Amino acid sequence: MLVSGVLFFLAIGIILGGAAVFTNGVEWLGRRLGISDGAIGSILAGIATALPETLIPVIAIFGSTGETEAAIGVGAILGAPLMLSALTIPLLAGFLLVLGKSRRRAGTFELDYHAVRLDLRVFLIAYSVALAVALIPIKPIRYAAAVGLLLLYVWYVKIHLASGKVNEMEIGPLFFSRGRSQPATAMIVIQALVGLGLMAGGAQMFVHVIKDTALGLGISPLVLSLLIAPVATELPEAMNSFFWVYQKKDTLAVGNITGAMVFQGTFPVAIGLVGTTWQLDTASLISLTLPLFATSLFYALTRMKRRWQPRLLILPVFLYAGYMMYLSLR
């Protein structure tokens, strides 16, 4: 247990360091490409930090033929959006409230709400399709839905890249080129890739530590795939967003999460629709429904209140806690 504890904190340290390196690099990359903060957070950061957990269902579903592995793959697909919507966003809102109370910054989100609404709307469409197909898991419908989800994501990327205003806010020096006010593009890309590699490596170490501990305690593969693996692999998104909120870059912080939700709700789901029967049990259906509920709340706040109120964003965390308790009692 002592070794596991040391490895646990080492993995956390690697993820934190990688997140700091990556966020700095991706800000410079977005500025060099001339795209908006919404696109930087939702597309560049969202896809890059979602890659580690995307590998889990790909390997589980296509790397083996066992039913257990397929179940783990489906659990990993459903677990990521569940954690992002019902845990990560509420924690981010709580962190913002803490910063506001300590007077380190204003305790309200300053967002590009047009970009946020786009992300939430696309996720709701994609995950509603996933739920509908789970209720009618016929092969032709599954394949058609998979293609539709991939096309939806392509459309989403196109809309994001074509909209939004480039923010001229000040960016700190590139870590790998502190002596230059305008670092070379190659150095920017190298730093972003190094940061991504550190996050992926740290997340993989975290998964192995948690997996060995969970299996030693006799936890079921469903609990492992729905809760434990996503907690580890979603740490890059969470850490990136916490860094950006602390730096008062809310559009990047929230876009990093909502963009990852869109990616997780389309590409990995398409993998599940093609590679499995997509016949979900009760626990899996609940894990698919909870993100729809949480995201509907977030979307409603952007339409009715025109702003995100951090206190209301915290509410879905109680659903997440209740779901964890339900799984532990199954």
Side-chain angles (χ1 to χ4, degrees), residues 103-121:
R103 298 184 178 180
R104 294 182 179 274
R105 58 156 295 172
T108 57
F109 282 105
E110 297 296 333
L111 298 173
D112 178 353
Y113 282 98
H114 175 75
V116 172
R117 280 193 294 271
L118 173 63
D119 289 1
L120 298 177
R121 187 164 57 245

Side-chain angles (χ1 to χ4, degrees), residues 4-209:
S4 296
V6 172
L7 292 176
F8 174 86
F9 287 107
L10 177 60
I12 292 293
I14 293 174
I15 291 173
L16 284 171
V21 171
F22 177 78
T23 53
N24 175 255
V26 82
E27 286 179 32
W28 273 103
L29 181 59
R31 179 63 58 81
R32 188 58 52 87
L33 294 174
I35 61 178
S36 67
D37 282 352
I40 294 173
S42 298
I43 305 301
L44 294 182
I47 292 178
T49 54
L51 289 178
E53 63 266 28
T54 303
L55 294 177
I56 295 176
V58 172
I59 294 172
I61 292 173
F62 295 111
S64 61
T65 57
E67 292 184 4
T68 301
E69 288 80 1
I72 290 176
V74 172
I77 291 170
L78 300 178
L82 171 65
M83 180 181 170
L84 288 171
S85 61
L87 182 62
T88 305
I89 289 181
L91 288 179
L92 193 65
F95 181 58
L96 180 60
L97 288 175
V98 171
L99 292 177
K101 290 290 185 180
S102 62
R103 298 184 178 180
R104 294 182 179 274
R105 58 156 295 172
T108 57
F109 282 105
E110 297 296 333
L111 298 173
D112 178 353
Y113 282 98
H114 175 75
V116 172
R117 280 193 294 271
L118 173 63
D119 289 1
L120 298 177
R121 187 164 57 245
V122 173
F123 176 78
L124 286 172
I125 293 172
Y127 236 47
S128 295
V129 170
L131 176 60
V133 177
L135 299 176
I136 312 175
I138 301 173
K139 182 179 288 188
I141 295 178
R142 287 192 287 112
Y143 285 6
V147 173
L149 290 178
L150 295 179
L151 292 176
L152 176 63
Y153 191 76
V154 171
W155 173 84
Y156 161 79
V157 171
K158 181 180 178 181
I159 294 297
H160 247 309
L161 294 179
S163 62
K165 180 180 179 181
V166 177
N167 195 323
E168 296 299 330
M169 65 183 175
E170 182 179 353
I171 301 178
L174 188 75
F175 292 164
F176 285 14
S177 186
R178 289 187 174 275
R180 300 184 62 179
S181 60
Q182 293 296 324
T185 302
M187 190 58 66
I188 294 173
V189 174
I190 289 173
Q191 178 176 312
L193 291 176
V194 169
L196 180 61
L198 288 172
M199 288 190 293
Q204 185 176 31
M205 180 186 296
F206 195 106
V207 168
H208 284 303
V209 172

Side-chain angles (χ1 to χ4, degrees), residues 46 54 83 143 187 197 202 212 274 289 307 315:
T54 303
M83 180 181 170
Y143 285 6
M187 190 58 66
D212 292 342
V274 172
T289 304
R307 300 190 66 81
L315 294 178

